[in-house]
Amino acid sequence: MSLPQTPSFSLTGKRALVAGASSGIGLACAVALGQAKAAVTLAARSTDKLDQAVDLMTAAGLAATSFQMDVADISRTQAQVAQHGPYDILVNSAGLARHAPAIDTTEADFDAVSSLNIKGAYFLTQAVAKGLIAVGKPGSLINISSQMALVGGIDRAVYCATKHAVEGFTKSMAIEWGPLGIRVNTICPTFIRTALTEQTFNNPDRVKWLEEKIKLGRVGEVTDIMGPVVYLASDAAALMTGTHLLIDGGWTAD
């Protein structure tokens, strides 16, 4: 008799691309992957913040580089991934929210949010997969989705629509690329306290709504996403594809 061995959470020898990595959830994911021994490339539109993040990670002994990327610029993103890849791991944290009552949604807001959250995410995921397929490597592709990919929310019709779409293409890509060893999943957080969500937290009515919905009694912190992203990226999640990790404090348990 022999005891089973826990699959490794180490990412030694893996190359990871994290889009939207200049702050918030994206930066936390980059740090988590780096601490798990991946060589991490941080990408975002803001190069000043990227440079600061890379300096801090390097000073902490982590392997980190960066380049400027706008995920909504499809052709340039595809060229950058082809040039710098292949990447064993993708984490796409680039996203946009323009919240308003559905009756007040403008075409401009709909197009802007859809262009980044659906179209940009789709073609970035495709680009990384192409690089892996070209060299015959497996990989783990992760999009940061949302609990709003499973439910609806006040003033969030467009945002919910885009995140539901991400879940849809994740399942289809996982089916197509599974035989090649390429796993495709999402992480679906609840409200995470970042600079981008401060507007919500400054609204007393919204805070009351959050407190009623999150069963664990607190909003999320970026550190709540760091363990799950390492899990999905690693061999510990080797049989996980076409689905999501829901990090919502019990929001969707109702």
Side-chain angles (χ1 to χ4, degrees):
M1 176 182 177
S2 61
L3 296 177
Q5 298 296 308
T6 302
S8 176
F9 286 82
S10 172
L11 301 176
T12 300
K14 304 293 186 182
R15 301 185 68 226
L17 172 63
V18 182
S22 60
S23 63
I25 291 174
L27 177 57
C29 289
V31 172
L33 297 176
Q35 290 174 341
K37 306 304 181 184
V40 185
T41 298
L42 289 75
R45 289 178 295 182
S46 173
T47 54
D48 289 344
K49 290 183 178 180
L50 282 181
D51 291 342
Q52 293 174 28
V54 168
D55 288 345
L56 288 171
M57 289 179 66
T58 302
L62 308 181
T65 59
S66 69
F67 60 79
Q68 192 274 342
M69 172 188 281
D70 180 356
V71 172
D73 186 339
I74 305 301
S75 59
R76 182 166 182 259
T77 295
Q78 290 173 327
Q80 288 175 312
V81 172
Q83 176 186 353
H84 297 289
Y87 294 101
D88 306 283
I89 300 159
L90 166 68
V91 178
N92 175 34
S93 186
L96 178 65
R98 293 185 181 177
H99 300 316
I103 199 69
D104 296 327
T105 299
T106 66
E107 185 176 0
D109 284 347
F110 186 98
D111 288 346
V113 176
S114 299
S115 178
L116 183 58
N117 291 6
I118 304 175
K119 187 177 180 181
Y122 186 104
F123 285 101
L124 175 58
T125 306
Q126 180 200 69
V128 176
K130 282 184 176 180
L132 291 171
I133 293 168
V135 295
K137 294 184 69 175
S140 177
L141 314 183
I142 305 161
N143 276 288
I144 302 299
S145 181
S146 171
Q147 68 183 15
M148 294 300 173
L150 285 81
V151 295
I154 299 169
D155 295 346
R156 284 164 170 78
V158 175
Y159 184 76
C160 288
T162 64
K163 293 303 185 179
H164 277 71
V166 171
E167 297 300 313
F169 76 64
T170 292
K171 294 180 187 301
S172 294
M173 289 177 175
I175 293 168
E176 292 186 22
W177 302 335
L180 304 174
I182 298 172
R183 299 185 292 109
V184 192
N185 294 289
T186 66
I187 292 176
C188 296
T190 188
F191 286 83
I192 304 295
R193 190 177 293 279
T194 69
L196 294 178
T197 58
E198 281 308 308
Q199 181 179 356
T200 295
F201 294 123
N202 289 335
N203 183 324
D205 291 336
R206 290 292 181 266
V207 171
K208 182 175 183 294
W209 177 53
L210 300 182
E211 291 173 345
E212 291 173 348
K213 287 288 191 177
I214 300 176
K215 310 305 183 293
L216 290 178
R218 68 171 178 86
V219 299
E221 304 290 343
V222 295
T223 50
D224 292 311
I225 311 303
M226 295 173 79
V229 78
V230 171
Y231 167 69
L232 280 181
S234 74
D235 289 343
L239 198 61
M240 190 166 183
T241 196
T243 189
H244 55 263
L245 278 181
L246 190 56
I247 317 297
D248 73 341
W251 184 295
T252 61
D254 289 341

